[in-house]
Amino acid sequence: KKYILASGRVEETEIFRLIFGTLYPAYYSYKAVKSKDIKEYVKWMMYWIIFALFTTAETFTDIFLCWFPFYYELKIAFVAWLLSPYTKGSSLLYRKFVHPTLSSKEKEIDDCLVQAKDRSYDALVHFGKRGLNVAATAAVMAASKGQGALSERLRSFSMQDLSTIRGDSSSTVPPSVTVRTSSKQSQPKTSRSTSEGTGSSGKETASVLAT
């Protein structure tokens, strides 16, 4: 039950802060910019500075002071005090505390911001270079792996082609050999027949001459 009540109080506080602490001042800030009223413009600028500091402090106080009695009710009362035209809480806090503190520390804050900007730029360039180097090495490794796979595939294809060519040549060679051997075998037979024919004709001529 305590957890449910606490969560309900948190939701009510957030809704109040959203409506009266953010949307309401945003609309009147728009009207001040539109009307170009310097007095209203300065008033709402002071409010937004105080509200930004309040939101920053609220991030930590919600962790360490949420157990404090009437903590969320005090937050609602503080936002109402900032907004009230009778109390003018934002103007009071800005003129009494924020403006003197920022004026005395303005140079140091600017130096810290410049150093932080330079360091962030150097860190960004450093990490950008490292990212490019990693991407380049990864691309080179991928290209080398792909080239090796492609060469192996081409070698496998070439070996397959050579094997098929050798198979074709081995299948075509024996008929030619048989033809050549058959032609060689036929040549003695024809020579023998011609020699026998010449021998018989010579015998016939010899017998005719003898008669």
Side-chain angles (χ1 to χ4, degrees):
K1 292 181 179 180
K2 291 181 180 180
Y3 178 76
I4 294 172
L5 291 174
S7 62
R9 291 167 61 191
V10 171
E11 291 178 357
E12 291 176 358
T13 305
E14 292 298 324
I15 291 172
F16 181 87
R17 189 169 68 87
L18 177 64
I19 295 173
F20 295 99
T22 306
L23 296 178
Y24 178 80
Y27 178 70
Y28 276 93
S29 298
Y30 156 74
K31 292 187 72 174
V33 172
K34 183 179 179 182
S35 62
K36 298 180 181 180
D37 189 351
I38 303 297
K39 186 178 179 179
E40 289 293 317
Y41 186 80
V42 172
K43 170 188 172 182
W44 290 112
M45 285 298 297
M46 289 189 292
Y47 169 79
W48 285 117
I49 293 171
I50 299 299
F51 188 76
L53 295 174
F54 165 70
T55 304
T56 305
E58 184 186 24
T59 304
F60 301 98
T61 56
D62 286 345
I63 299 173
F64 300 105
L65 296 177
C66 61
W67 55 268
F68 191 79
F70 304 105
Y71 170 72
Y72 296 102
E73 287 79 4
L74 289 173
K75 285 173 64 175
I76 293 174
F78 180 75
V79 173
W81 179 73
L82 292 177
L83 284 171
S84 176
Y86 301 102
T87 57
K88 296 180 180 180
S90 59
S91 299
L92 180 63
L93 289 177
Y94 180 82
R95 295 179 189 276
K96 291 291 184 180
F97 301 102
V98 176
H99 184 76
T101 304
L102 292 178
S103 297
S104 61
K105 303 292 183 180
E106 185 175 1
K107 186 177 180 180
E108 296 176 0
I109 295 171
D110 290 339
D111 293 337
C112 290
L113 291 175
V114 171
Q115 292 178 2
K117 188 184 294 184
D118 294 336
R119 290 177 181 176
S120 62
Y121 178 76
D122 294 336
L124 182 63
V125 171
H126 177 68
F127 286 113
K129 288 181 179 179
R130 289 186 62 183
L132 289 175
N133 290 330
V134 171
T137 53
V140 170
M141 291 176 65
S144 61
K145 290 181 179 179
Q147 187 176 2
L150 181 61
S151 61
E152 290 179 357
R153 184 170 294 181
L154 290 174
R155 288 177 182 175
S156 63
F157 287 161
S158 62
M159 293 300 291
Q160 290 179 1
D161 293 337
L162 288 173
S163 62
T164 53
I165 290 170
R166 288 175 181 175
D168 295 336
S169 61
S170 61
S171 61
T172 54
V173 166
S176 61
V177 172
T178 54
V179 169
R180 290 178 181 176
T181 54
S182 61
S183 61
K184 289 179 180 180
Q185 291 177 358
S186 61
Q187 285 177 0
K189 292 180 180 180
T190 54
S191 61
R192 288 177 183 175
S193 61
T194 52
S195 61
E196 290 177 355
T198 52
S200 60
S201 62
K203 289 178 180 180
E204 290 178 358
T205 53
S207 61
V208 170
L209 291 172
T211 54

